[in-house]
Amino acid sequence: MPGAVIVGTQWGDEGKGRFTDYLAKDASLCVRYQGGHNAGHTIIVDGEVFKLQLVPSGVLYPHVVPVIGNGVVVDPAVLISELDMLSAKGVEVSRLRLSGNAHLIMPYHQEIDRVTERYLGKNKLGTTKRGIGPTYADKALRVGLRVQDLLDPKIFREKLDLVLREKNGLLSKVYNRLPMDANEIAKTYLDMVPRLEPHIDDTVHLVHESLDAGEWVLFEGAQATYLDLDHGTYPFVTSSNPIAGGVCTGAGVGPLAIQRVVGVVKAYTTRVGSGPFPSELLEGDPIGDDLVERGREFGTNTGRRRRPGWLDLVMLKHATRLNTCTELAITKLDVLSPLKELKVCVGYLGDDGTRYEHVPYHQSVMHKIKPIYETLPGWGTDIERAEKISDLPTEAKDYVQFIEDFTKVHVSFVSVGPSRDQLVVLPRGE
């Protein structure tokens, strides 16, 4: 069962899209298994930038069938807009398949997301206000509308009327907002059916047909390990399960279908939104500001400035366990090139003097721990033209080796620039 998963090992924004793009050349299907358009993948091909939100990265290969699985929540207007963008750039999108069991993001989800964040004030979670969390909440409450409901206008309208009674009561009586019009919503969504219907399919069956034929299937997640609803820095997390285990529910396969788990790690650390960040370099720190500038650390979708910090190997090692990573892929090593010395977090110190070699489970401890750093020499020279591991300076190779030794997971890839071809491949034993 030749399945492979690309998973982020930090708080997202590691550059998973480029490795999905790289590995997709040998795949038949590229399957997105969770999340919504609250996360983006940026891929640069021959100098052209593709910013994808819902469509899997494999769409850029003509032989790959891109699949949006049942675990994804979909804003159909955003999906159509993205398909139009790709078509305008000459990318064939007719192959896209969309799970009929994927849940729809509705206008009331987005409104509830906005007013809830405003209501929380200083305790806000830092969501993208795209309606992702409320959609997953309705899924759990079993009142969500799914893609397949669009194919039966009568059922769609009945379900919409039922849920809108509760949502309008919440919006008007709790948040003092105007109620939403069911007729307007129904017309907007049903008018999109002609564009969506050719893509709607039984994606679980499609995935298993490919696996049974011995074809490689690549599973692509959004966000990352520490934004996982169960295993991340709760409540500052997303509303789904980005970890490799999320493939099972989000795409409809069993664990034995997965042979390869590629954990993507940025050569330093960033996160967007609120929440604990032990190795953070606070805004105004010259090194942190330089990382943001050189790494273009602004959200693909939101444009928000990412919070930068040194590489946290304690978190990375825990992530490799949670995901059973078979290998690692390091991104943005080139961003560190100007620095004379580099720090990596190898442990934590609690406010009571306790040393932690693992990620503390208790939120009160996690919010107060201080990083324990080891300092490594920088290389101070450009590495963007490196094509093989021997092209890298000794200090850069040592940095990569330090990561591998600490995590005990082989580093298979190192990116040395933003373009598709700026990638160093490291076979095992090198």
Side-chain angles (χ1 to χ4, degrees):
M1 301 287 278
V5 185
I6 305 287
V7 62
T9 59
Q10 296 159 309
W11 279 293
D13 307 312
E14 297 94 349
K16 297 179 291 298
R18 68 171 304 143
F19 291 105
T20 307
D21 172 67
Y22 177 81
L23 295 172
K25 68 180 185 295
D26 298 320
S28 59
L29 270 63
C30 183
V31 185
R32 170 80 175 273
Y33 61 90
Q34 51 74 226
H37 66 295
N38 56 335
H41 291 159
T42 300
I43 302 170
I44 302 175
V45 181
D46 297 328
E48 186 162 19
V49 179
F50 294 86
K51 294 188 176 184
L52 305 175
Q53 301 177 78
L54 284 170
V55 179
S57 305
V59 71
L60 300 180
Y61 289 100
H63 66 278
V64 174
V65 176
V67 177
I68 298 175
N70 57 273
V72 180
V73 291
V74 178
D75 183 325
V78 171
L79 177 57
I80 290 172
S81 176
E82 191 167 327
L83 293 175
D84 288 343
M85 177 274 292
L86 288 166
S87 294
K89 290 177 177 282
V91 178
E92 175 57 53
V93 297
S94 62
R95 306 182 310 280
L96 176 77
R97 291 295 174 262
L98 170 63
S99 173
N101 288 340
H103 279 247
L104 293 168
I105 298 173
M106 304 298 289
Y108 48 79
H109 292 138
Q110 295 170 332
E111 181 67 2
I112 289 171
D113 206 354
R114 286 190 291 267
V115 296
T116 301
E117 277 287 272
R118 195 178 308 133
Y119 180 80
L120 288 172
K122 67 178 183 179
N123 295 314
K124 66 182 180 179
L125 301 176
T127 78
T128 58
K129 304 180 182 67
R130 304 286 173 90
I132 310 298
T135 305
Y136 277 114
D138 275 2
K139 178 179 179 177
L141 288 169
R142 292 157 291 174
V143 295
L145 279 77
R146 298 187 292 176
V147 168
Q148 62 174 280
D149 294 326
L150 292 169
L151 302 179
D152 189 324
K154 184 172 181 289
I155 286 179
F156 181 84
R157 185 56 193 264
E158 287 176 355
K159 290 187 174 182
L160 177 62
D161 287 342
L162 179 65
V163 72
L164 206 54
R165 284 204 297 268
E166 186 264 333
K167 301 302 178 188
N168 276 339
L170 176 66
L171 288 170
S172 61
K173 295 177 182 177
V174 176
Y175 294 112
N176 197 29
R177 309 296 291 180
L178 291 174
M180 293 192 162
D181 185 88
N183 292 325
E184 183 179 332
I185 294 174
K187 183 179 187 314
T188 298
Y189 276 66
L190 294 174
D191 281 352
M192 290 186 277
V193 171
R195 291 291 310 277
L196 296 170
E197 189 168 6
H199 301 286
I200 300 173
D201 209 337
D202 179 352
T203 59
V204 172
H205 176 72
L206 189 66
V207 167
H208 281 276
E209 287 279 283
S210 189
L211 289 171
D212 291 346
E215 299 170 342
W216 272 102
V217 176
L218 191 59
F219 298 97
E220 172 188 56
Q223 291 94 27
T225 299
Y226 289 96
L227 291 176
D228 188 274
L229 181 60
D230 288 274
H231 300 285
T233 48
Y234 189 91
F236 306 101
V237 293
T238 194
S239 302
S240 58
N241 295 108
I243 61 169
V247 172
C248 297
T249 53
V253 299
L256 295 181
I258 308 302
Q259 286 187 0
R260 186 178 185 185
V261 181
V262 182
V264 183
V265 52
K266 195 178 290 184
Y268 48 99
T269 309
T270 63
R271 77 170 298 177
V272 171
S274 306
F277 186 170
S279 64
E280 182 175 11
L281 294 164
L282 298 177
E283 191 165 357
D285 184 293
I287 294 177
D289 290 345
D290 186 59
L291 291 177
V292 170
E293 185 66 28
R294 284 181 49 79
R296 301 180 185 90
E297 297 297 349
F298 299 91
T300 299
N301 288 333
T302 64
R304 289 188 295 179
R305 181 188 190 273
R306 295 171 184 150
R307 298 159 58 192
W310 296 113
L311 178 62
D312 189 329
L313 289 180
V314 182
M315 294 185 72
L316 177 58
K317 186 172 184 177
H318 185 57
T320 64
R321 290 171 168 174
L322 284 173
N323 294 291
T324 58
C325 292
T326 59
E327 59 201 278
L328 293 176
I330 300 174
T331 62
K332 294 193 174 183
L333 188 66
D334 54 296
V335 175
L336 299 178
S337 291
L339 300 179
K340 294 181 180 179
E341 62 178 30
L342 308 169
K343 292 183 180 180
V344 288
C345 177
V346 296
Y348 303 131
L349 191 64
D351 60 353
D352 62 351
T354 301
R355 178 171 176 136
Y356 294 89
E357 307 291 343
H358 62 278
V359 178
Y361 83 93
H362 200 292
Q363 60 183 357
S364 296
V365 176
M366 188 65 183
H367 278 271
K368 295 177 182 178
I369 54 174
K370 302 297 182 184
I372 298 171
Y373 289 120
E374 186 156 333
T375 301
L376 303 176
W379 44 94
T381 186
D382 176 55
I383 61 172
E384 292 186 356
R385 292 179 178 82
E387 296 180 352
K388 52 187 182 298
I389 188 66
S390 59
D391 294 335
L392 293 175
T394 299
E395 295 83 359
K397 289 186 284 190
D398 289 345
Y399 189 76
V400 172
Q401 188 63 50
F402 193 89
I403 294 171
E404 186 170 300
D405 291 344
F406 193 95
T407 60
K408 295 180 174 58
V409 179
H410 174 62
V411 175
S412 292
F413 307 98
V414 177
S415 78
V416 293
S419 297
R420 177 188 265 181
D421 59 349
Q422 290 180 292
L423 193 66
V424 175
V425 180
L426 288 74
R428 289 187 184 275
E430 292 194 19

